[in-house]
Structures are given as C-alpha cells and as structure tokens.
Amino acid sequence: MKWRKIETVCIVAVLVLLFLLTGRLYQSETDTSTFCSLNSGWYQIKDGKKIHVELPCYVVTDANGKIVLYNDILSEKDQGKFISSKGVQDHLEIDLGDGILYQYKKHKFQKNKQMKGKMWAEICLPEGTGEKTLRFMFEGEKNSSLYIQAPVMGSFPEVVKSHLQESVFSILMIIGMLGMGIVSVIIFLYTSHRRIVEKRFLNVAVFLFLCSLWSILDSEMYQMYGRQNEIGTQISFYAFMLMSIPMLYFVQNTVNRDVRWVPKVWIFLLYGDAILQGVINSLFGIPFIHMLFVTQLILMTGVTAMIFLLWKEYQKGQTQELKFCLRAFTVLGISGMAAIVLYWMFAIYWYDAIFQFGILLYIAFMFGGLLCKVSNDIQFHLEQTVYARMSVEDRMTGVKNRKAFDQYIEEIQEAAILLKNVLLLFIHIDGLKKINDMNGMQMGDEVVIWTARSIQIAGKSLEPDAESFRVNGNEFAVVVVNPQKLPEEWEKVIRNELKKEIGSRCRIELKFGYSYLREKDGILQSVSDWKMQADKMFCLNTGKSVEDRYDL
C-alpha cells in the first residue's frame, strides 16, 4: 500500500509537469517572436533587369554554371539574427555587400555531395545589415536546374529548434534503436539468469548500438554542431563498415553447423575492408568517401547471401524462427538497396532515414522470431526445473528426499579434503507405527510434517546453511558443513520446536545419532565410515541393528 501511494504521487507529479511543459510549448506566439522563412524579396539580375524569385523553387544556372540571388528586405533590426540555408552541396556562398559571410571550408576528412546535403550554412548577420545587399551564390553544371530552398531567419535557439523539427524522424529512429538495444541486453541478462544463454540477443544489442552510433555521428545535427566533426565522421564510417558483423554472427548462431562458413566469409570481408581502407587512407591519402562503394558492395552481397542461405535452411526445416529471420533480412535488403539507389543515382542526402526505418523493421522481425524461441525455451526449462525439483523433494514435508541426500553425500565425498569438518545428524521418530495404529494414518502424517518443520526451524536458528532430508518414512538426516553448533544443541532445539508444534495433541519421542567427518585428531574418515558411525549411535538409541533399521 505504501508503494502504491508513492507511485500515485509520482504519476500525478509527472502529469502536472507534462501539462506545464506542454502549455509552454503550445502557448501562442508573442510579437517578440523573430523566427521566419525568407521566401520573398529574392531576385536575379539578367540583362540589367531584376527578375523576382519566390523560394523554394527550381532555378536554372547561367552559362558559367552559377546562380546569384539578391535580397534587399533586411533591416537594421535584423542585426544579430541567424540565417540558416540549405545548399552547401551546391557550393553555396553567402555575402553581405563585399564581405563574405559563409563559404564551405574543406576539412581533412572530405565529405561528398550527399554528406554536404545534410548540412546548413549558418551565418550571424553583422553590422551593416539593412544597408548592404545580401547575396547567395550557388554553383552547378551549365544550364542545369537547381532546387533552391528558402532560408530561415531568427535567434539561434529558434533556428536550432527548426533543425530539430526537421530531424525529428531520424531522432525517433535513433531513440528506437537505442531503446531496442537496451531491451535486448535486458532480455539477454534475464535469459542468462534463467540459464538459457541466447547470444543472439547480445548480437542484436551490439548491432543496434553500432547503428545508433553511426546514425548519431552521421546526422544533420552532429554535422552542424559537433565539436569534433571530423573525428566523429571518421568514427561513423567505421561504425557503418562494422555494424553488420553482429548480425552475421546472429545468422551463424541460427543456421546449421555445416553452412556456418558462409556468414564467416562476409565477417572476414568486412573486417578486411575496414583494415584495408584505413591502411590505404594512411599511406596514400585516398579519402574514405572514394572507397565507400566497396563497403556498400560487400554489405549488399552479404545481405543477398544471407537471404539465400536462410531460404535454403527454411526449405529444410520450416521453423517459425527461420521464417522471421528470412523476412527480416528481406526487409533489410530492400531498404538497403533503396538507400543505395537514392545515395548514388539521385544523391539524396536523406537516404539514411530509409535505411534506419528498414533497420527497425528488420529488428522487429528478428525480435519476433527470437522471443518465440526463447518463450518456448523458458517454458521447457521451467518444466525441466519443476521435474528436477520434484524428483529430489519429499512431497509430504517439502524437505529434500533420499535421492537428494545420496547426491549431497557424493558432493561431500568429492570435496571432503577441502572441508574443515561435516556433521551428520540422524533423527528418528520413535513409535510412529503405534501412532498410526491408535490415531490413524492422518495423525501419523501430521507427526512427520511437524517433525520436518521443527528440523527446518532449528536449522534456520542454528546453522542457516544446514541441509535437511527425509531419508525414510520416520527418519530424517541433517548435514552441516563446517558446523558451529554441537549435536546436543541441535537435539535440544529440535525437541523444543516439536513441543511447540504439537502441544498436547499427542506424545512423540525422537531418537538422535550423529557423527563427524573428521575425528577429534583431525584425521579424515571415509564417507562410508562416517555414515556407519552415525548409524551405530543411532541404532543404540533406537534398539535396532544397522542391518535392519531401513526396514522400519
């Protein structure tokens, strides 16, 4: 009840906070809002005449392959505001009067047209804004058509917010991949705890984390605002080259042993590609972007090979698991092929969004197959656990049975030389047959249960690590490794606990016998002698011989 109250308070607090934050986000804009899109005010000068242009639109380059757009609508009030524009891939240059405000600078890690297409050209309007003409210059092929987008203008937080809104799909994809990666790790740890080691969940998790790393470092926001942009871009290339390796291991752990060499081939190809590209870049200075097609070729042939391999395996044994894997790789292949076509043939910069969406669908199918298999494995494991527990448990009393006792004695025998000492204690219910005859079998069963309960309670208070067993109908055994209490203390506590259990319902007499694995001088007895010594003391107390005491 206390936790429910705390949970209720937390839920109310979250809802109140969410309401307040939502109100702030959706409150009506005031007159002080300065964010806007510069669609109008643009013009070209051709043959000495102004030709007005409304953005966004397609504009044709001149004979020199250039487009020059002018804008005169800015005023002194716009000083200090930020202007952000697409078009870096078209060699965008921004001038104010005779001063250059933006010009793309080449970096040590070269970017191709597709990578530049993700970036924005951002400038802060300096003094002189409103007095001088703003000029945007683009460069392409002669007499070609370029799509010019309208720049946005506002304060820096407003500009960044607009970029985040444009990138919301990729951000959601990255969050989805990270979330599913964390879920994969949790499931792997849970199944491992259940002694079901399913490495493929770990393969999925590593794959998703590498995909997330690539998506983050390759994203528009990082390309614009990342402090270590060049280093991050290089890491994103290596993440892209290596991220498929965990899923090749996934396939290797799915198919039969005789065809596991197939995914191994592509695993070594991807490792070799990553190493070779690094060596070529270091020795000859060839940019990674010029070798990117090699990685993409390996990836596409690898996905195709895995689809064919899984299809062949599915034909042999049409399991639900293989069906999900086959669908997953088919979706990944289609999305990957679409992304590559967009990347190379059309130079579209948002190719990664399609590939990211394909990755999420791919993992969703994989999860379906894995969870189906794991649920069956857990059910089988639980059934086996229950069966194993029932085989070594006495159903009447809940303590371990004679089979468990023999197994435990074998364990003691194997580790005997490492143990300081072990106490073996036998407890016999005297006159149980007489109780059954006089009071009925039900009372006899109750006596056995009361005795077992008394022994367990005594064990918890005296030696928490002690193991108790019902070795016969009216006989129990207690084994204590490295005992701290004397047998006399055990006897006293068990008798007292039994009196509390029974009360005045009937009279029960217990007999005890015990033995230590090591003698007083520290010499280690054999296990058979150890048990025989306890048997002898036990039989002296019960009046039975060692030979016939198991016939009770």
Side-chain angles (χ1 to χ4, degrees):
M1 291 301 295
K2 184 185 293 185
W3 280 110
R4 287 184 180 179
K5 290 179 181 178
I6 294 173
E7 185 180 12
T8 303
V9 172
C10 291
I11 292 172
V12 172
V14 169
L15 290 175
V16 171
L17 186 61
L18 182 62
F19 177 78
L20 294 175
L21 292 175
T22 305
R24 286 181 58 185
L25 290 174
Y26 285 94
Q27 63 184 355
S28 58
E29 295 185 358
T30 62
D31 295 335
T32 59
S33 177
T34 58
F35 184 79
C36 64
S37 180
L38 294 176
N39 302 93
S40 58
W42 298 97
Y43 61 89
Q44 291 179 286
I45 297 178
K46 290 184 178 181
D47 300 326
K49 296 181 180 180
K50 287 184 179 182
I51 300 175
H52 291 279
V53 177
E54 189 79 13
L55 299 181
C57 67
Y58 283 95
V59 182
V60 180
T61 60
D62 59 20
N64 297 318
K66 293 185 178 180
I67 295 173
V68 182
L69 297 177
Y70 302 90
N71 193 300
D72 294 329
I73 66 172
L74 300 180
S75 65
E76 293 182 3
K77 294 181 179 179
D78 295 320
Q79 293 181 16
K81 294 180 181 179
F82 282 79
I83 288 182
S84 182
S85 175
K86 287 284 189 179
V88 178
Q89 72 276 16
D90 296 319
H91 309 282
L92 171 62
E93 181 181 310
I94 304 175
D95 300 335
L96 186 66
D98 296 329
I100 298 176
L101 299 182
Y102 176 84
Q103 191 174 46
Y104 180 77
K105 295 180 181 179
K106 291 185 177 180
H107 301 278
K108 292 180 180 178
F109 195 100
Q110 292 187 26
K111 294 180 172 68
N112 58 16
K113 188 175 182 180
Q114 295 89 327
M115 296 172 69
K116 292 176 184 177
K118 295 182 178 184
M119 302 176 67
W120 300 282
E122 282 191 1
I123 59 166
C124 180
L125 294 172
E127 294 182 4
T129 301
E131 301 173 3
K132 301 176 183 178
T133 301
L134 184 68
R135 181 174 59 192
F136 277 40
M137 291 187 291
F138 302 87
E139 187 176 341
E141 297 180 2
K142 295 179 181 179
N143 300 316
S144 62
S145 181
L146 296 182
Y147 184 72
I148 310 298
Q149 297 188 43
V152 294
M153 183 176 69
S155 65
F156 181 73
E158 290 171 329
V159 170
V160 173
K161 181 181 177 182
S162 71
H163 296 336
L164 286 172
Q165 290 173 346
E166 289 182 23
S167 307
V168 66
F169 182 79
S170 292
I171 292 171
L172 290 175
M173 293 297 103
I174 292 170
I175 293 172
M177 286 188 285
L178 285 172
M180 293 180 74
I182 294 170
V183 170
S184 298
V185 172
I186 293 172
I187 294 175
F188 171 76
L189 295 175
Y190 173 76
T191 53
S192 299
H193 176 69
R194 288 283 187 178
R195 298 182 181 179
I196 302 173
V197 181
E198 184 51 84
K199 292 182 180 179
R200 289 178 295 178
F201 278 112
L202 204 56
N203 298 146
V204 170
V206 176
F207 170 71
L208 287 170
F209 291 145
L210 285 174
C211 287
S212 302
L213 180 64
W214 166 68
S215 300
I216 291 169
L217 298 178
D218 196 53
S219 66
E220 295 93 331
M221 298 303 295
Y222 185 83
Q223 293 295 321
M224 280 298 300
Y225 304 115
R227 291 185 178 181
Q228 301 294 335
N229 187 281
E230 295 180 13
I231 296 174
T233 306
Q234 181 167 298
I235 293 173
S236 75
F237 261 77
Y238 269 94
F240 181 74
M241 286 189 279
L242 300 175
M243 68 183 184
S244 298
I245 292 177
M247 297 317 297
L248 290 171
Y249 278 112
F250 183 101
V251 176
Q252 184 177 314
N253 293 328
T254 301
V255 299
N256 293 321
R257 289 182 178 274
D258 56 341
V259 291
R260 289 182 179 177
W261 63 270
V262 178
K264 279 184 180 179
V265 170
W266 268 268
I267 289 172
F268 285 112
L269 281 175
L270 287 170
Y271 276 125
D273 174 57
I275 295 170
L276 190 61
Q277 287 197 31
V279 171
I280 292 174
N281 180 265
S282 300
L283 296 180
F284 306 105
I286 298 176
F288 282 98
I289 55 174
H290 294 166
M291 299 180 282
L292 181 60
F293 73 94
V294 178
T295 303
Q296 293 178 336
L297 182 63
I298 295 173
L299 289 175
M300 291 312 303
T301 54
V303 170
T304 304
M306 295 309 108
I307 292 172
F308 181 75
L309 177 61
L310 289 168
W311 179 76
K312 292 289 288 183
E313 290 294 295
Y314 182 68
Q315 293 300 313
K316 294 178 183 178
Q318 298 186 0
T319 64
Q320 195 76 359
E321 181 185 2
L322 284 170
K323 183 179 180 181
F324 278 113
C325 291
L326 181 58
R327 287 180 178 176
F329 271 91
T330 303
V331 168
L332 185 66
I334 293 172
S335 63
M337 184 64 73
I340 288 176
V341 169
L342 291 173
Y343 188 90
W344 289 113
M345 294 186 65
F346 299 101
I348 294 176
Y349 63 88
W350 42 265
Y351 67 92
D352 55 341
I354 294 176
F355 190 46
Q356 290 166 3
F357 184 68
I359 287 172
L360 284 183
L361 287 179
Y362 166 71
I363 292 301
F365 280 114
M366 284 296 190
F367 259 101
L370 273 181
L371 291 176
C372 181
K373 180 181 180 300
V374 168
S375 63
N376 292 334
D377 289 346
I378 290 176
Q379 182 179 356
F380 176 77
H381 180 71
L382 289 174
E383 290 174 355
Q384 290 294 102
T385 302
V386 170
Y387 175 77
R389 180 178 176 182
M390 290 177 64
S391 68
V392 295
E393 185 179 278
D394 180 62
R395 296 186 182 182
M396 180 187 294
T397 61
V399 300
K400 296 177 181 179
N401 59 16
R402 180 58 183 260
K403 179 181 177 181
F405 175 73
D406 292 336
Q407 291 175 353
Y408 193 59
I409 293 299
E410 288 179 8
E411 294 176 13
I412 295 293
Q413 186 174 9
E414 292 174 1
I417 195 171
L418 302 175
L419 300 174
K420 292 181 180 179
N421 214 337
V422 185
L423 170 65
L424 174 60
L425 186 69
F426 284 124
I427 302 106
H428 174 80
I429 304 173
D430 197 28
L432 181 61
K433 186 176 183 303
K434 186 177 180 180
I435 294 173
N436 287 333
D437 294 340
M438 294 181 63
N439 301 291
M441 294 292 293
Q442 185 175 353
M443 177 57 73
D445 292 343
E446 291 289 338
V447 169
V448 173
I449 294 170
W450 292 333
T451 305
R453 192 180 300 159
S454 301
I455 294 170
Q456 288 178 307
I457 294 172
K460 290 179 181 178
S461 62
L462 294 173
E463 304 272 7
D465 295 329
E467 295 285 349
S468 55
F469 309 86
R470 185 186 181 193
V471 296
N472 210 331
N474 58 348
E475 185 179 331
F476 295 85
V478 178
V479 182
V480 189
V481 177
N482 300 327
Q484 303 297 318
K485 303 296 182 181
L486 297 174
E488 291 79 6
E489 295 180 77
W490 274 91
E491 183 176 346
K492 181 180 178 181
V493 174
I494 291 173
R495 290 184 187 278
N496 289 338
E497 291 296 333
L498 186 59
K499 287 179 181 178
K500 294 177 184 177
E501 289 283 340
I502 297 174
S504 59
R505 283 173 282 193
C506 66
R507 186 174 179 277
I508 301 174
E509 185 63 32
L510 298 180
K511 303 294 185 182
F512 293 83
Y514 66 87
S515 174
Y516 285 98
L517 185 59
R518 291 186 183 274
E519 297 180 356
K520 292 182 179 180
D521 54 6
I523 297 175
L524 186 67
Q525 296 189 86
S526 66
V527 171
S528 58
D529 291 341
W530 174 48
K531 291 173 64 179
M532 183 62 71
Q533 188 177 8
D535 284 342
K536 287 180 179 179
M537 179 180 289
F538 180 84
C539 293
L540 288 174
N541 289 332
T542 59
K544 297 284 184 178
S545 64
V546 176
E547 290 75 13
D548 68 1
R549 77 181 190 83
Y550 290 112
D551 295 329
L552 290 170

